[in-house]
Amino acid sequence: MRKLGITVLVIVVLLIAAGLIIPHVIDINHYRGQIQAELQKRLGRTVQLGDMSFSLIPPAFEVQNAVIGSDPQFSNDNRPFAAADKLKIRVAFWPLLSKKLDVKSLELDRPKIELVRNQQGVWNFSTLGQPAQPASTPAPSKQGPPTSAEKAQPSPPPTPQSAQSGQATQNSGAASQLSLANLSIVDGQVAITDQQKRQPRAVYNHIDVTLNNFAPDRPFFIQAAAHLPSDGKGSQNSGAKETIRLQGKGGPIQQADILNTPFDGTLALDQVSLASAQKFVNSQALSGINALATGQAAVKNANSKITSSGNIELQNPQIRSVNVGYPITINYDATDDLNNDVIEIRKGDIRLGQTPLTVTGTMDLRPTPSQADLKLTTKNASIEEAARLASAFGVAFGQGTNVKGTINADIAAKGALNKPAMNGHLDATNLVLTTKEVPQPVKVPAIDLALTPQTIKSNDFSATTGSTTVNVNFALNQYTSPKSTVDATVRAPNANIAELLNIAHAAGVSAVQGMTGSGVLTLNVHAQGPTKNLSALALSGTGKLQNASLKLPSLTQPIGVRNADMAFNRNSATLNNLAASVGQTNATGQLTMKNFAAPQVQFTLKADKVDVNQLQQLMGTAPAQPKRAALEHSFWHIVPEAQAEAGPVSSPQPSLLNKITGGGNVSIGTVTYNDLVLTNVHTRVTLDRGLIHLNPLSANLYNGTESGSATIDMRPAQPVYTLALNTNKVDANELISSVSDLKQTLYGLLNSNVNATFSSTSANAIARSLNGKLGINLTNGKLMNVDLLHELASVGKFLGAPGVPSAAQSFTNLLQLSGNFNVKNGVAQTNNLKAVIAGGTMAAAGLVNLADQSLNLHVTAVLDKALSQKVGGNQIGGFMNTALANNQGELVIPVIVTGTFQHPSVAPDLQQIAQMKLKNLLPTSKNPGALTSGILGQILGKKGATQNGNAQQPQGGLSGILGAIGKQTQQQQQQQPNGAVTGNQGQQPQAQPTPTPNPLDSILGRVLGGKKKAQPTPTPK
């Protein structure tokens, strides 16, 4: 015995030594092709294996980057059935000695598994272990040690044919059914695509699965767990893994229909956050809902019916970031018929805190929408918990509303799950509603709802707070139909407006969100019509507002109503004997409004004064409102939702003015816009969703009148004004000072026409943003800061001459000033500005910058004959270097005016003088702008020239000058047939005409400083 024991011990030691030494001596990668072929045969799928290692005790292979191919019958974007970072394969020892692989267990580390159900209802994993479909035959797999490239990249998987051609087996390749002692998945990713139900691919991470004694033809044991990353909220162990566990006994697998595979086990939830679960299952149904779910349920599948019963508790529930404030427990027993998608709820006991509810019935999930046949009951239950949950969902009560009272319900709901037809009743008694915003509680003694499949009808109930009582009754007809209607009556005698708004706030009426007010309202209104189109409601009744003040979220200032007699007729409300105020404006008259969603108004109003700046600020952008949830009438939604839920904040709402259409007549005593003041304003106003048209418009303006039309576009952040106005005998200084920075500069009586637009933050900045056309005609005026006659005398060298004082005045008397301007961004261009002063006339062309008040004008002054004679006629000016005399005996002085209105600068226009002297092109007092509009107009690119009735393109630069000179020369010669030169008054005409020099030669001669010699003038014969 002793020898036998020693022998056995030696053998064991040798076996252990062999088990430790042999794996390091033998390179298992030599047999990778054979192993791939055997696994492919057993699985019925293509297989790819990376680098391999082998251990003898116990016999096992470890494979890197293992890939199991997909069944070609299932389309899944060429994704493999399974791909694992690491695959451990345990095999039987004795078959291994016979060069056979008997796989006992598989362990997949961090695998990615694709589960697909095709349109016939067959799952892709159901074909594992079955013969693979034939595929095109690739080149045979290489035998022998793999190269370094093969180690870096796994070799292509052998097909069944190649496996048969290898040394794997001598049989025909018929695969046997897959059976394993153990199959493990560690930290896997499972993706599910259900083509039969047309559900897109959904991905689930962090899955652990263990199958013991697995074979398709016998029962097996399964343990599965899904680990969710904890958010730490409500958990005692912050950062701990939240886990969903499923374990039980399943099988045998029903190959014909995998859903018929029997299963009997339990499902356990351990502190699972619904927010984490929502991310895990990618379900929008749980969006905005969070709680910690803990519980256990029995789950059994037999004959395609899953039966489950158990208890689930939701701790710290939150709905759209609103803390419900109590736990929710669910004790249920239900069956889901997987073949018919019908859920039967035999037991559904729900406890909201201490409030019990019972739900039983069935839900058919096949149609869209799903169909329900349910019954909800509760008796003598506190409404506080149910109301808090409804408030969190935004149904029936405003957010943050606390409701106390007792509720009874016995309701049967049948039909579409989102709009069921209901039978039964719901009543609540001794309701008390309080919120943080409501200083006094709102009390409802009793409300009773009778429900039928066609109608939800209430009793006559009242809501009271303070001294205000509102009496209401309503009926919803055909409420499951798109053509549902409402029939309601509201009576509020002598109600305090602040208390009335408190009642509406507590009930969650969205229309009063952000509103506050005071005063007295009496209301008796009946409304009947469609619920989907409130503007089509037929209204009847009366009301009265007295000493009221209303602050609306869409207005920046409160509206005061001293009196308004209200009359409701069909879809309109009329305010008669209206006396209201906004800011500094007091108005009286009548106003009718239709279609409250997109108001249409008609009015006749008379106001004492309007401040345009206040009006612009009044119609500010409405504040952002909480985003409404996409809720419809549902089983829980007995009363139409109050639209007062919490949720993400939407973008700011457009101004109320952008929704209004209509119009009316308005009379205003005074309209102010900073310094601009209009009085006795009369206009017809048309409102068009942010566009305000005033046409016709008339007003008194600075001792004169104004008439025409105006349009104000209130849609941009900065309003845009478009004007088509005429003024008559308006005080020029008052008007110009009120709309620009040009103060105390230009006086007189102004007639004008304006066709322009502007957008400015204040009236005195209007000129800076002006675009359009202006025409002016000023009489009996005065131009400050310059004595034009004195400046002309300085240029013409006749200061101190008779009629010309040597000392300058601080102004110029303007007998008349007229002209037209094209204005672009505050810069005005003119080519026909004409001024008449004592002693002469002036014509100007150039630019006037209304923004910085700078000047750049070419001016031609023509002194009348009497003044010209007094100052010396043609004998002045230093041989006429700066002044010329025309054939009428009038002095012509071209000058350039620059600088600003406050500090103008006058200098001789040498270029124009040279041209005049060159060609004797001298204007007269009757037409002082002839040369200016010709030559200077061409320099500035003047438009509108015609030839033979056809419009010509403007010319500028040298060609424009030459064309103008040639044209003026021809005209001058036609006026003087004998070609007499009028530079010296009294000179007799020559007997023979003087040949006309070439204008180009003369101008070039002056420009080049005499470098080109002039040709001698032929001597008359």
Side-chain angles (χ1 to χ4, degrees), residues 651-872:
S651 59
Q653 300 298 308
S655 165
L656 176 64
L657 194 61
N658 290 353
K659 301 178 182 180
I660 297 177
T661 58
N665 295 318
V666 174
S667 299
I668 306 173
T670 302
V671 175
T672 61
Y673 186 14
N674 292 113
D675 296 330
L676 180 64
V677 180
L678 291 84
T679 59
N680 195 24
V681 179
H682 296 273
T683 186
R684 171 72 182 178
V685 179
T686 302
L687 303 175
D688 184 12
R689 297 178 178 86
L691 285 175
I692 304 175
H693 302 282
L694 310 177
N695 186 21
L697 170 65
S698 65
N700 295 336
L701 178 63
Y702 300 124
N703 301 320
T705 60
E706 179 182 69
S707 62
S709 64
T711 297
I712 308 172
D713 189 350
M714 299 292 291
R715 294 171 299 183
Q718 181 61 45
V720 177
Y721 297 79
T722 301
L723 308 178
L725 297 173
N726 297 318
T727 65
N728 183 37
K729 296 182 179 180
V730 173
D731 186 313
N733 177 59
E734 294 283 353
L735 177 60
I736 295 174
S737 297
S738 66
V739 298
S740 71
D741 294 329
L742 189 62
K743 314 290 185 184
Q744 317 303 326
T745 301
L746 186 63
Y747 294 82
L749 297 180
L750 177 65
N751 294 340
S752 67
N753 58 78
V754 180
N755 287 277
T757 64
F758 67 88
S759 175
S760 63
T761 56
S762 62
N764 59 7
I766 288 176
R768 298 175 179 271
S769 61
L770 198 64
N771 286 275
K773 296 183 177 181
L774 304 177
I776 64 170
N777 187 4
L778 180 79
T779 58
N780 300 322
K782 184 183 291 186
L783 178 63
M784 303 302 295
N785 305 317
V786 65
D787 184 345
L788 288 177
L789 185 57
H790 183 274
E791 295 295 331
L792 293 174
S794 178
V795 171
K797 310 298 183 183
F798 54 85
L799 276 176
V804 182
S806 58
Q809 300 182 93
S810 61
F811 60 89
T812 298
N813 286 318
L814 296 174
L815 302 179
Q816 185 180 20
L817 178 66
S818 62
N820 298 309
F821 295 89
N822 289 325
V823 186
K824 184 175 182 181
N825 297 327
V827 179
Q829 178 177 330
T830 180
N831 56 20
N832 66 351
L833 186 62
K834 180 179 179 181
V836 179
I837 64 174
T841 58
M842 288 178 287
L847 303 176
V848 177
N849 193 319
L850 304 178
D852 60 16
Q853 302 164 33
S854 62
L855 304 169
N856 188 3
L857 295 171
H858 291 263
V859 180
T860 300
V862 180
L863 303 184
D864 60 32
K865 187 172 182 179
L867 182 59
S868 298
Q869 292 298 323
K870 288 181 180 180
V871 301

Side-chain angles (χ1 to χ4, degrees), residues 73-93:
Q73 301 178 74
F74 295 84
S75 173
N76 198 32
D77 298 331
N78 297 321
R79 296 187 180 94
F81 170 73
D85 292 351
K86 184 185 297 184
L87 173 64
K88 295 181 180 179
I89 307 171
R90 188 175 176 186
V91 298
F93 177 76

Side-chain angles (χ1 to χ4, degrees), residues 465-679:
T465 183
S467 62
T468 298
T469 297
V470 179
N471 299 292
V472 181
N473 67 62
F474 69 87
L476 294 174
N477 301 308
Q478 304 298 324
Y479 57 89
T480 64
S481 166
K483 297 181 179 180
S484 60
T485 62
V486 64
D487 189 337
T489 300
V490 179
R491 297 180 299 276
N494 296 315
N496 181 289
I497 291 178
E499 294 173 346
L500 186 64
L501 290 174
N502 288 341
I503 294 175
H505 281 299
V509 178
S510 62
V512 301
Q513 286 186 3
M515 288 180 58
T516 58
S518 61
V520 178
L521 170 65
T522 296
L523 197 63
N524 187 352
V525 179
H526 177 252
Q528 186 176 16
T531 60
K532 300 295 185 181
N533 183 12
L534 297 181
S535 62
L537 286 177
L539 303 175
S540 62
T542 59
K544 190 177 184 66
L545 267 173
Q546 291 178 299
N547 301 319
S549 176
L550 297 175
K551 181 65 175 70
L552 307 179
S554 58
L555 300 178
T556 59
Q557 297 187 40
I559 298 176
V561 182
R562 294 188 300 277
N563 184 80
D565 297 331
M566 307 167 67
F568 299 93
N569 183 19
R570 296 186 62 82
N571 66 337
S572 67
T574 300
L575 304 180
N576 294 310
N577 301 319
L578 175 64
S581 62
V582 179
Q584 299 178 3
T585 300
N586 298 299
T588 59
Q590 181 188 57
L591 183 145
T592 298
M593 178 181 292
K594 299 180 180 179
N595 188 359
F596 302 103
Q600 300 173 3
V601 297
Q602 294 296 326
F603 48 81
T604 300
L605 297 174
K606 184 177 181 180
D608 57 350
K609 56 185 175 182
V610 171
D611 187 320
V612 176
N613 285 328
Q614 286 186 355
L615 182 63
Q616 289 180 186
Q617 298 169 6
L618 175 66
M619 297 293 183
T621 301
Q625 297 294 331
K627 187 176 181 181
R628 296 188 64 237
L631 295 176
E632 300 229 17
H633 298 297
S634 65
F635 177 73
W636 303 101
H637 197 168
I638 308 300
V639 181
E641 56 194 295
Q643 306 177 10
E645 71 294 301
V649 175
S650 62
S651 59
Q653 300 298 308
S655 165
L656 176 64
L657 194 61
N658 290 353
K659 301 178 182 180
I660 297 177
T661 58
N665 295 318
V666 174
S667 299
I668 306 173
T670 302
V671 175
T672 61
Y673 186 14
N674 292 113
D675 296 330
L676 180 64
V677 180
L678 291 84
T679 59

